[in-house]
Structure formats: C-alpha cells, structure tokens
Amino acid sequence: MAMSTGSRRANQGGGVQSVERTFELLELMADAGGEATLSDLAEASALPLPTIHRIMRTLVSSGYARQQPSRRYALGPSLIRLGETASRALGSWARPYLAELTEATGETSNMAVLDGLQIVYVSQVPSQHSMRMFTEVGRRVDAHATAVGKAVMATMPADSVTQLLSRSSMAPQTERTITSIEAMHTELARIRRLGYAVDDGEQEVGVRCYAVAVPNAPAGAAISISGPEARMSSISTDEVLPLMQRLSRDLGAELNTSGESE
C-alpha cells in the first residue's frame, strides 16, 4: 500500500510529540482513502508498532477512529463535527475576499480545498446575473475535472499528483475532461507557467472557470471565478489574474497560523 508522507509534523519546534504523531496517523489514513492497517501506518510513518497501536486505541475510544471487523482502522464519526465546523470557519474567512472578486468581475467566486481525492467547495459569493453558476457549499467533485483542483495539484510534487490520480478513476465529466495522468502532468506544467488554471467545459458543458491556488494555506486550497462560457470569454485574464493572485495571497496569509508565537 503506497501512502505519501509528505512533509509531516514530526520534530517541528515546540510541538508535543504525541500530538504530532496522532495527527500524522490521521492524515496518513486520510491519504489512504480513510482506512489502513497497523502495518500500513508503520510503513508510512516509520513509527514503532506499539506506539501506533497505543495511539489508535486512544483514537478509537474517543470516536476519532474505529476498528473494523477486518482489523483495519478507519476514520471515525467524531471527525465529522470537527470537519464541518472547520469548513464553516474557513468559509467565513474566505467570504470577504470572494466578495471583492465577485464585485470586480461580476461572476460567481468560490473557494475550495483538496480533501483526499476530491475538491470540496467551502465558500461562495454568487453573481448578481440572472444566469449564474451555483455550486452548493459542501459539494465534492473529482479534482481532475475542475480548475480549483488543477490549481491545487499544480502546487504539489509530481509524484504526489501521480499517486492521487492513480487512486482516482479520472472519469470524464464532459468530452473535454482530461482523463490521463500524462495529459494532466502536461496541463499542470502549463498552469505553473501561466500562474492560473482553467476549466473550459471540463466539469460542465458551457461553463468556464479560472482558478489560482491559495499560497501558504494549511491545506491545499484555491479560489476561482466561474460563469457561462460566453460571458467568461470577455474577461481579460491579464486584468483579473493580478487581483486573484493578490486576494489569494492575502487569504493565505490570514489562514496560515504556523508562524504564531505561543
């Protein structure tokens, strides 16, 4: 079983080691699709099995993990409330930045985060046009077919992208959806070069979306504007991109709390 460890929290300054290890195991389980065996976690984390077993027992007793009849461990129901509350808070922080973007462009603006293999929309400010794009907050969609998903993936190491996409079906949403890992890597290289991502009818026919990643956010995140293709084609990316990048930088700075002093 392959799981990406990325840059984990171990040995970060001043952290309580047991807490860091607990979050590391939860993140590894999330990376693996929500469940894993003790040996999977030991291989991915390099922690001793007795340590992992002790942490998992604690997580199970508090509802943050559960042990299945197969002896595999899965993420538990107590995480749902935490996730929903965090999502609402994130949406509240993002809303003023999205409101400025919608006011400047006239189109619907969104913020979304990468959660496992999918993108989750956490905030939105709708356009005032009678014909506008509406994505329900909380909606989950496959990352490969969205501008926000591609913007986030463009910030990730190539091997992490390959691992993510290899676990996804990359199912076509329209005839324009990118459905191969090789083609996606080519697309991500273009996004890094241009500084923004485009969904040109890849998720929904007739809809275009521009997105930029939110730098320094604690989790992979992006903001976007979306609307009917005919209206979006009249928007100059040379004019709107600097605004989106400024707003994403400001939002990322607000979300990034890693530099707070104790």
Side-chain angles (χ1 to χ4, degrees):
M1 176 179 183
M3 289 190 285
S4 171
T5 58
S7 55
R8 299 297 176 186
R9 295 184 175 86
N11 299 320
Q12 286 186 355
V16 178
Q17 190 178 57
S18 61
V19 175
E20 293 170 345
R21 288 174 169 177
T22 299
F23 281 113
E24 179 180 5
L25 294 179
L26 288 171
E27 289 180 2
L28 286 170
M29 291 173 66
D31 289 345
E35 62 178 57
T37 65
L38 287 178
S39 59
D40 292 332
L41 295 172
E43 179 182 358
S45 68
L47 293 174
L49 271 172
T51 299
I52 296 173
H53 190 246
R54 184 174 64 253
I55 292 172
M56 295 309 299
R57 280 205 315 267
T58 301
L59 289 172
V60 169
S61 68
S62 58
Y64 292 106
R66 56 189 174 85
Q67 189 171 26
Q68 300 175 321
S70 65
R71 310 294 292 176
R72 296 173 67 87
Y73 287 92
L75 296 176
S78 292
L79 292 170
I80 295 174
R81 182 173 65 88
L82 296 182
E84 290 177 344
T85 303
S87 178
R88 287 194 296 270
L90 188 59
S92 296
W93 284 325
R95 191 169 180 83
Y97 300 93
L98 300 183
E100 183 175 347
L101 184 56
T102 291
E103 183 178 358
T105 64
E107 300 297 344
T108 297
S109 58
N110 303 279
M111 181 179 181
V113 297
L114 182 65
D115 182 24
L117 306 180
Q118 293 186 309
I119 282 289
V120 182
Y121 289 90
V122 297
S123 191
Q124 181 181 90
V125 172
S127 166
Q128 295 303 305
H129 290 290
S130 57
M131 180 181 291
R132 60 180 182 262
M133 299 302 103
F134 178 78
T135 299
E136 184 179 0
V137 170
R139 182 189 179 198
R140 306 175 68 92
V141 295
D142 291 339
H144 73 285
T146 65
V148 282
K150 291 190 293 184
V152 170
M153 287 191 290
T155 69
M156 297 166 55
D159 59 346
S160 297
V161 173
T162 297
Q163 186 178 63
L164 184 156
L165 295 176
S166 65
R167 302 203 323 265
S168 168
S169 65
M170 295 192 75
Q173 304 302 310
T174 73
E175 62 179 14
R176 296 183 179 179
T177 306
I178 296 174
T179 57
S180 79
I181 294 176
E182 181 180 1
M184 182 59 73
H185 278 298
T186 300
E187 172 73 354
L188 297 181
R190 186 190 68 83
I191 291 168
R192 295 184 194 102
R193 185 174 67 254
L194 296 177
Y196 68 98
V198 180
D199 163 9
D200 194 6
E202 297 160 51
Q203 176 68 30
E204 186 175 346
V205 175
V207 175
R208 181 175 293 172
C209 178
Y210 301 134
V212 298
V214 177
N216 302 316
I223 61 173
S224 68
I225 54 171
S226 58
E229 186 175 354
R231 278 208 315 262
M232 292 293 290
S233 62
S234 66
I235 293 178
S236 169
T237 55
D238 289 339
E239 294 179 3
V240 74
L241 182 58
L243 172 62
M244 295 182 71
Q245 291 175 330
R246 176 179 65 78
L247 292 173
S248 68
R249 286 194 303 270
D250 292 347
L251 176 56
E254 182 173 348
L255 296 177
N256 183 13
T257 59
S258 63
E260 287 185 354
S261 59
E262 295 182 358

mmCIF file of all heavy atoms in Angstrom, residues 176-222:
data_model
loop_
_atom_site.group_PDB
_atom_site.id
_atom_site.type_symbol
_atom_site.label_atom_id
_atom_site.label_comp_id
_atom_site.label_asym_id
_atom_site.label_seq_id
_atom_site.Cartn_x
_atom_site.Cartn_y
_atom_site.Cartn_z
ATOM 1 N N ARG A 176 -14.426 17.163 -22.826
ATOM 2 C CA ARG A 176 -13.198 17.947 -22.663
ATOM 3 C C ARG A 176 -12.398 17.566 -21.411
ATOM 4 O O ARG A 176 -11.300 18.066 -21.205
ATOM 5 C CB ARG A 176 -13.528 19.443 -22.592
ATOM 6 C CG ARG A 176 -14.137 20.006 -23.865
ATOM 7 C CD ARG A 176 -14.367 21.495 -23.720
ATOM 8 N NE ARG A 176 -14.934 22.085 -24.929
ATOM 9 C CZ ARG A 176 -15.248 23.365 -25.072
ATOM 10 N NH1 ARG A 176 -15.050 24.205 -24.065
ATOM 11 N NH2 ARG A 176 -15.768 23.811 -26.191
ATOM 12 N N THR A 177 -12.932 16.709 -20.575
ATOM 13 C CA THR A 177 -12.252 16.349 -19.333
ATOM 14 C C THR A 177 -10.936 15.633 -19.620
ATOM 15 O O THR A 177 -10.876 14.737 -20.472
ATOM 16 C CB THR A 177 -13.143 15.418 -18.479
ATOM 17 O OG1 THR A 177 -14.416 16.023 -18.285
ATOM 18 C CG2 THR A 177 -12.502 15.164 -17.126
ATOM 19 N N ILE A 178 -9.891 16.027 -18.903
ATOM 20 C CA ILE A 178 -8.603 15.341 -19.012
ATOM 21 C C ILE A 178 -8.704 14.016 -18.266
ATOM 22 O O ILE A 178 -9.058 13.974 -17.082
ATOM 23 C CB ILE A 178 -7.474 16.203 -18.418
ATOM 24 C CG1 ILE A 178 -7.325 17.486 -19.227
ATOM 25 C CG2 ILE A 178 -6.153 15.432 -18.378
ATOM 26 C CD1 ILE A 178 -6.340 18.475 -18.625
ATOM 27 N N THR A 179 -8.385 12.918 -18.936
ATOM 28 C CA THR A 179 -8.613 11.594 -18.359
ATOM 29 C C THR A 179 -7.355 10.728 -18.285
ATOM 30 O O THR A 179 -7.451 9.538 -17.999
ATOM 31 C CB THR A 179 -9.686 10.838 -19.168
ATOM 32 O OG1 THR A 179 -9.279 10.759 -20.540
ATOM 33 C CG2 THR A 179 -11.034 11.538 -19.079
ATOM 34 N N SER A 180 -6.182 11.302 -18.531
ATOM 35 C CA SER A 180 -4.948 10.516 -18.396
ATOM 36 C C SER A 180 -3.962 11.265 -17.510
ATOM 37 O O SER A 180 -3.922 12.501 -17.495
ATOM 38 C CB SER A 180 -4.315 10.238 -19.757
ATOM 39 O OG SER A 180 -3.601 11.358 -20.234
ATOM 40 N N ILE A 181 -3.178 10.509 -16.756
ATOM 41 C CA ILE A 181 -2.201 11.107 -15.849
ATOM 42 C C ILE A 181 -1.154 11.886 -16.633
ATOM 43 O O ILE A 181 -0.755 12.995 -16.238
ATOM 44 C CB ILE A 181 -1.554 10.017 -14.979
ATOM 45 C CG1 ILE A 181 -2.598 9.404 -14.043
ATOM 46 C CG2 ILE A 181 -0.390 10.591 -14.172
ATOM 47 C CD1 ILE A 181 -2.095 8.253 -13.205
ATOM 48 N N GLU A 182 -0.706 11.336 -17.751
ATOM 49 C CA GLU A 182 0.310 12.016 -18.562
ATOM 50 C C GLU A 182 -0.197 13.368 -19.058
ATOM 51 O O GLU A 182 0.511 14.383 -18.982
ATOM 52 C CB GLU A 182 0.711 11.139 -19.749
ATOM 53 C CG GLU A 182 1.782 11.762 -20.622
ATOM 54 C CD GLU A 182 2.171 10.864 -21.798
ATOM 55 O OE1 GLU A 182 1.577 9.769 -21.934
ATOM 56 O OE2 GLU A 182 3.060 11.265 -22.565
ATOM 57 N N ALA A 183 -1.437 13.379 -19.555
ATOM 58 C CA ALA A 183 -2.008 14.640 -20.041
ATOM 59 C C ALA A 183 -2.186 15.639 -18.907
ATOM 60 O O ALA A 183 -2.009 16.853 -19.098
ATOM 61 C CB ALA A 183 -3.342 14.372 -20.733
ATOM 62 N N MET A 184 -2.504 15.144 -17.718
ATOM 63 C CA MET A 184 -2.678 16.055 -16.585
ATOM 64 C C MET A 184 -1.347 16.678 -16.189
ATOM 65 O O MET A 184 -1.287 17.885 -15.873
ATOM 66 C CB MET A 184 -3.292 15.324 -15.390
ATOM 67 C CG MET A 184 -3.539 16.231 -14.187
ATOM 68 S SD MET A 184 -4.640 17.634 -14.546
ATOM 69 C CE MET A 184 -6.223 16.763 -14.666
ATOM 70 N N HIS A 185 -0.270 15.912 -16.213
ATOM 71 C CA HIS A 185 1.036 16.490 -15.889
ATOM 72 C C HIS A 185 1.413 17.590 -16.892
ATOM 73 O O HIS A 185 1.994 18.612 -16.514
ATOM 74 C CB HIS A 185 2.107 15.410 -15.854
ATOM 75 C CG HIS A 185 2.156 14.647 -14.559
ATOM 76 N ND1 HIS A 185 2.446 15.251 -13.361
ATOM 77 C CD2 HIS A 185 1.931 13.334 -14.275
ATOM 78 C CE1 HIS A 185 2.409 14.342 -12.387
ATOM 79 N NE2 HIS A 185 2.094 13.180 -12.916
ATOM 80 N N THR A 186 1.056 17.383 -18.155
ATOM 81 C CA THR A 186 1.300 18.419 -19.164
ATOM 82 C C THR A 186 0.479 19.667 -18.851
ATOM 83 O O THR A 186 0.967 20.796 -18.939
ATOM 84 C CB THR A 186 0.940 17.898 -20.562
ATOM 85 O OG1 THR A 186 1.756 16.758 -20.856
ATOM 86 C CG2 THR A 186 1.161 18.959 -21.623
ATOM 87 N N GLU A 187 -0.769 19.459 -18.456
ATOM 88 C CA GLU A 187 -1.647 20.575 -18.095
ATOM 89 C C GLU A 187 -1.126 21.318 -16.862
ATOM 90 O O GLU A 187 -1.142 22.551 -16.805
ATOM 91 C CB GLU A 187 -3.063 20.049 -17.838
ATOM 92 C CG GLU A 187 -4.046 21.058 -17.263
ATOM 93 C CD GLU A 187 -4.512 22.096 -18.267
ATOM 94 O OE1 GLU A 187 -3.998 22.127 -19.402
ATOM 95 O OE2 GLU A 187 -5.402 22.895 -17.914
ATOM 96 N N LEU A 188 -0.645 20.583 -15.885
ATOM 97 C CA LEU A 188 -0.153 21.217 -14.661
ATOM 98 C C LEU A 188 1.105 22.036 -14.925
ATOM 99 O O LEU A 188 1.317 23.088 -14.308
ATOM 100 C CB LEU A 188 0.104 20.164 -13.583
ATOM 101 C CG LEU A 188 -1.129 19.386 -13.107
ATOM 102 C CD1 LEU A 188 -0.741 18.395 -12.019
ATOM 103 C CD2 LEU A 188 -2.229 20.312 -12.615
ATOM 104 N N ALA A 189 1.944 21.570 -15.840
ATOM 105 C CA ALA A 189 3.130 22.351 -16.220
ATOM 106 C C ALA A 189 2.704 23.669 -16.860
ATOM 107 O O ALA A 189 3.311 24.728 -16.607
ATOM 108 C CB ALA A 189 4.003 21.549 -17.183
ATOM 109 N N ARG A 190 1.644 23.634 -17.656
ATOM 110 C CA ARG A 190 1.127 24.860 -18.286
ATOM 111 C C ARG A 190 0.583 25.808 -17.217
ATOM 112 O O ARG A 190 0.801 27.033 -17.279
ATOM 113 C CB ARG A 190 0.026 24.498 -19.278
ATOM 114 C CG ARG A 190 -0.491 25.687 -20.096
ATOM 115 C CD ARG A 190 -1.742 25.313 -20.876
ATOM 116 N NE ARG A 190 -2.858 25.075 -19.974
ATOM 117 C CZ ARG A 190 -3.619 26.046 -19.479
ATOM 118 N NH1 ARG A 190 -3.376 27.318 -19.782
ATOM 119 N NH2 ARG A 190 -4.610 25.759 -18.667
ATOM 120 N N ILE A 191 -0.103 25.249 -16.219
ATOM 121 C CA ILE A 191 -0.670 26.069 -15.148
ATOM 122 C C ILE A 191 0.442 26.762 -14.360
ATOM 123 O O ILE A 191 0.345 27.946 -14.027
ATOM 124 C CB ILE A 191 -1.539 25.198 -14.219
ATOM 125 C CG1 ILE A 191 -2.802 24.745 -14.970
ATOM 126 C CG2 ILE A 191 -1.921 25.957 -12.939
ATOM 127 C CD1 ILE A 191 -3.583 23.667 -14.255
ATOM 128 N N ARG A 192 1.508 26.041 -14.066
ATOM 129 C CA ARG A 192 2.634 26.649 -13.335
ATOM 130 C C ARG A 192 3.250 27.778 -14.152
ATOM 131 O O ARG A 192 3.659 28.806 -13.600
ATOM 132 C CB ARG A 192 3.682 25.586 -13.019
ATOM 133 C CG ARG A 192 3.202 24.500 -12.055
ATOM 134 C CD ARG A 192 4.305 23.530 -11.698
ATOM 135 N NE ARG A 192 3.755 22.342 -11.051
ATOM 136 C CZ ARG A 192 3.583 21.170 -11.646
ATOM 137 N NH1 ARG A 192 3.944 21.019 -12.916
ATOM 138 N NH2 ARG A 192 3.063 20.159 -10.984
ATOM 139 N N ARG A 193 3.300 27.597 -15.443
ATOM 140 C CA ARG A 193 3.899 28.614 -16.315
ATOM 141 C C ARG A 193 3.022 29.858 -16.386
ATOM 142 O O ARG A 193 3.521 30.988 -16.319
ATOM 143 C CB ARG A 193 4.112 28.034 -17.717
ATOM 144 C CG ARG A 193 4.848 28.966 -18.680
ATOM 145 C CD ARG A 193 5.143 28.277 -19.990
ATOM 146 N NE ARG A 193 3.952 27.978 -20.763
ATOM 147 C CZ ARG A 193 3.422 26.765 -20.910
ATOM 148 N NH1 ARG A 193 4.001 25.718 -20.339
ATOM 149 N NH2 ARG A 193 2.332 26.570 -21.628
ATOM 150 N N LEU A 194 1.701 29.675 -16.483
ATOM 151 C CA LEU A 194 0.778 30.796 -16.639
ATOM 152 C C LEU A 194 0.399 31.441 -15.301
ATOM 153 O O LEU A 194 0.066 32.624 -15.246
ATOM 154 C CB LEU A 194 -0.491 30.332 -17.349
ATOM 155 C CG LEU A 194 -0.335 29.842 -18.796
ATOM 156 C CD1 LEU A 194 -1.678 29.355 -19.324
ATOM 157 C CD2 LEU A 194 0.221 30.950 -19.678
ATOM 158 N N GLY A 195 0.377 30.636 -14.235
ATOM 159 C CA GLY A 195 0.007 31.159 -12.931
ATOM 160 C C GLY A 195 -1.464 31.001 -12.587
ATOM 161 O O GLY A 195 -1.909 31.476 -11.539
ATOM 162 N N TYR A 196 -2.231 30.331 -13.431
ATOM 163 C CA TYR A 196 -3.642 30.092 -13.128
ATOM 164 C C TYR A 196 -4.121 28.855 -13.887
ATOM 165 O O TYR A 196 -3.498 28.416 -14.856
ATOM 166 C CB TYR A 196 -4.505 31.299 -13.505
ATOM 167 C CG TYR A 196 -4.610 31.579 -14.992
ATOM 168 C CD1 TYR A 196 -5.710 31.141 -15.737
ATOM 169 C CD2 TYR A 196 -3.613 32.285 -15.657
ATOM 170 C CE1 TYR A 196 -5.806 31.406 -17.094
ATOM 171 C CE2 TYR A 196 -3.700 32.554 -17.008
ATOM 172 C CZ TYR A 196 -4.802 32.110 -17.730
ATOM 173 O OH TYR A 196 -4.899 32.374 -19.080
ATOM 174 N N ALA A 197 -5.255 28.314 -13.439
ATOM 175 C CA ALA A 197 -5.843 27.122 -14.067
ATOM 176 C C ALA A 197 -7.172 27.483 -14.715
ATOM 177 O O ALA A 197 -7.853 28.424 -14.288
ATOM 178 C CB ALA A 197 -6.049 26.022 -13.033
ATOM 179 N N VAL A 198 -7.536 26.722 -15.726
ATOM 180 C CA VAL A 198 -8.796 26.930 -16.440
ATOM 181 C C VAL A 198 -9.572 25.619 -16.504
ATOM 182 O O VAL A 198 -9.001 24.558 -16.775
ATOM 183 C CB VAL A 198 -8.554 27.435 -17.881
ATOM 184 C CG1 VAL A 198 -9.886 27.643 -18.601
ATOM 185 C CG2 VAL A 198 -7.736 28.711 -17.875
ATOM 186 N N ASP A 199 -10.850 25.696 -16.221
ATOM 187 C CA ASP A 199 -11.781 24.607 -16.517
ATOM 188 C C ASP A 199 -12.640 25.104 -17.665
ATOM 189 O O ASP A 199 -13.517 25.946 -17.482
ATOM 190 C CB ASP A 199 -12.627 24.294 -15.277
ATOM 191 C CG ASP A 199 -13.888 23.470 -15.606
ATOM 192 O OD1 ASP A 199 -14.017 22.994 -16.744
ATOM 193 O OD2 ASP A 199 -14.738 23.335 -14.707
ATOM 194 N N ASP A 200 -12.345 24.624 -18.843
ATOM 195 C CA ASP A 200 -13.035 25.081 -20.054
ATOM 196 C C ASP A 200 -14.049 24.029 -20.475
ATOM 197 O O ASP A 200 -13.842 23.266 -21.410
ATOM 198 C CB ASP A 200 -12.025 25.336 -21.171
ATOM 199 C CG ASP A 200 -12.625 26.137 -22.323
ATOM 200 O OD1 ASP A 200 -13.787 26.572 -22.186
ATOM 201 O OD2 ASP A 200 -11.939 26.317 -23.336
ATOM 202 N N GLY A 201 -15.165 23.970 -19.748
ATOM 203 C CA GLY A 201 -16.196 22.987 -20.047
ATOM 204 C C GLY A 201 -15.802 21.573 -19.682
ATOM 205 O O GLY A 201 -16.377 20.624 -20.207
ATOM 206 N N GLU A 202 -14.864 21.410 -18.757
ATOM 207 C CA GLU A 202 -14.401 20.072 -18.388
ATOM 208 C C GLU A 202 -15.266 19.425 -17.312
ATOM 209 O O GLU A 202 -15.350 18.203 -17.232
ATOM 210 C CB GLU A 202 -12.940 20.142 -17.915
ATOM 211 C CG GLU A 202 -11.987 20.606 -19.009
ATOM 212 C CD GLU A 202 -10.675 21.130 -18.453
ATOM 213 O OE1 GLU A 202 -10.060 20.414 -17.636
ATOM 214 O OE2 GLU A 202 -10.270 22.254 -18.821
ATOM 215 N N GLN A 203 -15.904 20.262 -16.484
ATOM 216 C CA GLN A 203 -16.805 19.753 -15.450
ATOM 217 C C GLN A 203 -18.262 19.821 -15.899
ATOM 218 O O GLN A 203 -19.058 18.944 -15.606
ATOM 219 C CB GLN A 203 -16.623 20.558 -14.157
ATOM 220 C CG GLN A 203 -17.565 20.191 -13.028
ATOM 221 C CD GLN A 203 -17.312 18.816 -12.475
ATOM 222 O OE1 GLN A 203 -16.199 18.329 -12.482
ATOM 223 N NE2 GLN A 203 -18.350 18.162 -11.992
ATOM 224 N N GLU A 204 -18.580 20.896 -16.634
ATOM 225 C CA GLU A 204 -19.951 21.095 -17.107
ATOM 226 C C GLU A 204 -19.908 21.834 -18.438
ATOM 227 O O GLU A 204 -19.224 22.851 -18.561
ATOM 228 C CB GLU A 204 -20.750 21.888 -16.076
ATOM 229 C CG GLU A 204 -22.218 22.031 -16.401
ATOM 230 C CD GLU A 204 -22.986 22.727 -15.289
ATOM 231 O OE1 GLU A 204 -22.430 22.850 -14.180
ATOM 232 O OE2 GLU A 204 -24.125 23.157 -15.551
ATOM 233 N N VAL A 205 -20.616 21.339 -19.418
ATOM 234 C CA VAL A 205 -20.619 21.931 -20.748
ATOM 235 C C VAL A 205 -21.135 23.369 -20.671
ATOM 236 O O VAL A 205 -22.145 23.663 -20.022
ATOM 237 C CB VAL A 205 -21.492 21.114 -21.721
ATOM 238 C CG1 VAL A 205 -21.601 21.810 -23.075
ATOM 239 C CG2 VAL A 205 -20.914 19.712 -21.899
ATOM 240 N N GLY A 206 -20.403 24.289 -21.332
ATOM 241 C CA GLY A 206 -20.834 25.680 -21.391
ATOM 242 C C GLY A 206 -20.393 26.532 -20.227
ATOM 243 O O GLY A 206 -20.740 27.714 -20.159
ATOM 244 N N VAL A 207 -19.623 25.960 -19.304
ATOM 245 C CA VAL A 207 -19.166 26.693 -18.119
ATOM 246 C C VAL A 207 -17.652 26.812 -18.171
ATOM 247 O O VAL A 207 -16.941 25.856 -18.483
ATOM 248 C CB VAL A 207 -19.589 25.971 -16.821
ATOM 249 C CG1 VAL A 207 -18.992 26.680 -15.606
ATOM 250 C CG2 VAL A 207 -21.107 25.908 -16.721
ATOM 251 N N ARG A 208 -17.153 28.007 -17.870
ATOM 252 C CA ARG A 208 -15.711 28.229 -17.802
ATOM 253 C C ARG A 208 -15.367 28.756 -16.411
ATOM 254 O O ARG A 208 -16.131 29.509 -15.817
ATOM 255 C CB ARG A 208 -15.254 29.219 -18.869
ATOM 256 C CG ARG A 208 -13.730 29.473 -18.860
ATOM 257 C CD ARG A 208 -13.318 30.354 -20.012
ATOM 258 N NE ARG A 208 -13.511 29.680 -21.295
ATOM 259 C CZ ARG A 208 -13.375 30.284 -22.469
ATOM 260 N NH1 ARG A 208 -13.063 31.575 -22.520
ATOM 261 N NH2 ARG A 208 -13.562 29.609 -23.586
ATOM 262 N N CYS A 209 -14.198 28.349 -15.930
ATOM 263 C CA CYS A 209 -13.762 28.736 -14.592
ATOM 264 C C CYS A 209 -12.278 29.026 -14.608
ATOM 265 O O CYS A 209 -11.511 28.320 -15.258
ATOM 266 C CB CYS A 209 -14.074 27.591 -13.620
ATOM 267 S SG CYS A 209 -13.554 27.889 -11.923
ATOM 268 N N TYR A 210 -11.863 30.099 -13.922
ATOM 269 C CA TYR A 210 -10.448 30.420 -13.724
ATOM 270 C C TYR A 210 -10.142 30.268 -12.226
ATOM 271 O O TYR A 210 -10.947 30.698 -11.385
ATOM 272 C CB TYR A 210 -10.142 31.858 -14.152
ATOM 273 C CG TYR A 210 -10.452 32.170 -15.587
ATOM 274 C CD1 TYR A 210 -11.134 33.337 -15.933
ATOM 275 C CD2 TYR A 210 -10.064 31.307 -16.618
ATOM 276 C CE1 TYR A 210 -11.424 33.640 -17.261
ATOM 277 C CE2 TYR A 210 -10.350 31.603 -17.941
ATOM 278 C CZ TYR A 210 -11.034 32.764 -18.258
ATOM 279 O OH TYR A 210 -11.315 33.049 -19.572
ATOM 280 N N ALA A 211 -8.985 29.706 -11.905
ATOM 281 C CA ALA A 211 -8.641 29.481 -10.503
ATOM 282 C C ALA A 211 -7.166 29.714 -10.252
ATOM 283 O O ALA A 211 -6.327 29.493 -11.132
ATOM 284 C CB ALA A 211 -9.014 28.054 -10.091
ATOM 285 N N VAL A 212 -6.859 30.145 -9.037
ATOM 286 C CA VAL A 212 -5.469 30.259 -8.583
ATOM 287 C C VAL A 212 -5.381 29.610 -7.210
ATOM 288 O O VAL A 212 -6.330 29.664 -6.410
ATOM 289 C CB VAL A 212 -4.980 31.724 -8.515
ATOM 290 C CG1 VAL A 212 -5.001 32.369 -9.884
ATOM 291 C CG2 VAL A 212 -5.807 32.527 -7.530
ATOM 292 N N ALA A 213 -4.240 29.004 -6.927
ATOM 293 C CA ALA A 213 -4.028 28.371 -5.629
ATOM 294 C C ALA A 213 -3.857 29.426 -4.548
ATOM 295 O O ALA A 213 -3.408 30.543 -4.802
ATOM 296 C CB ALA A 213 -2.806 27.468 -5.687
ATOM 297 N N VAL A 214 -4.236 29.081 -3.331
ATOM 298 C CA VAL A 214 -4.032 29.944 -2.172
ATOM 299 C C VAL A 214 -2.696 29.557 -1.550
ATOM 300 O O VAL A 214 -2.570 28.469 -0.987
ATOM 301 C CB VAL A 214 -5.166 29.785 -1.146
ATOM 302 C CG1 VAL A 214 -4.895 30.629 0.095
ATOM 303 C CG2 VAL A 214 -6.506 30.161 -1.767
ATOM 304 N N PRO A 215 -1.675 30.406 -1.654
ATOM 305 C CA PRO A 215 -0.357 30.044 -1.128
ATOM 306 C C PRO A 215 -0.338 30.035 0.390
ATOM 307 O O PRO A 215 -1.048 30.806 1.032
ATOM 308 C CB PRO A 215 0.560 31.135 -1.691
ATOM 309 C CG PRO A 215 -0.342 32.310 -1.878
ATOM 310 C CD PRO A 215 -1.684 31.750 -2.253
ATOM 311 N N ASN A 216 0.479 29.132 0.931
ATOM 312 C CA ASN A 216 0.723 29.057 2.375
ATOM 313 C C ASN A 216 -0.505 28.682 3.186
ATOM 314 O O ASN A 216 -0.502 28.824 4.417
ATOM 315 C CB ASN A 216 1.282 30.387 2.905
ATOM 316 C CG ASN A 216 2.564 30.787 2.211
ATOM 317 O OD1 ASN A 216 3.442 29.961 2.001
ATOM 318 N ND2 ASN A 216 2.668 32.057 1.833
ATOM 319 N N ALA A 217 -1.567 28.218 2.531
ATOM 320 C CA ALA A 217 -2.727 27.758 3.285
ATOM 321 C C ALA A 217 -2.384 26.448 3.983
ATOM 322 O O ALA A 217 -1.594 25.651 3.472
ATOM 323 C CB ALA A 217 -3.924 27.561 2.357
ATOM 324 N N PRO A 218 -2.961 26.192 5.165
ATOM 325 C CA PRO A 218 -2.650 24.958 5.878
ATOM 326 C C PRO A 218 -2.995 23.695 5.090
ATOM 327 O O PRO A 218 -2.383 22.657 5.278
ATOM 328 C CB PRO A 218 -3.506 25.062 7.147
ATOM 329 C CG PRO A 218 -3.723 26.526 7.332
ATOM 330 C CD PRO A 218 -3.813 27.089 5.952
ATOM 331 N N ALA A 219 -3.979 23.776 4.199
ATOM 332 C CA ALA A 219 -4.332 22.653 3.324
ATOM 333 C C ALA A 219 -4.410 23.171 1.901
ATOM 334 O O ALA A 219 -4.540 24.369 1.671
ATOM 335 C CB ALA A 219 -5.670 22.046 3.747
ATOM 336 N N GLY A 220 -4.321 22.274 0.926
ATOM 337 C CA GLY A 220 -4.407 22.686 -0.466
ATOM 338 C C GLY A 220 -5.715 23.388 -0.750
ATOM 339 O O GLY A 220 -6.788 22.824 -0.529
ATOM 340 N N ALA A 221 -5.644 24.627 -1.201
ATOM 341 C CA ALA A 221 -6.847 25.416 -1.424
ATOM 342 C C ALA A 221 -6.681 26.290 -2.652
ATOM 343 O O ALA A 221 -5.563 26.587 -3.073
ATOM 344 C CB ALA A 221 -7.152 26.288 -0.200
ATOM 345 N N ALA A 222 -7.803 26.715 -3.226
ATOM 346 C CA ALA A 222 -7.783 27.608 -4.384
ATOM 347 C C ALA A 222 -9.046 28.450 -4.374
ATOM 348 O O ALA A 222 -10.067 28.061 -3.806
ATOM 349 C CB ALA A 222 -7.690 26.813 -5.683
#
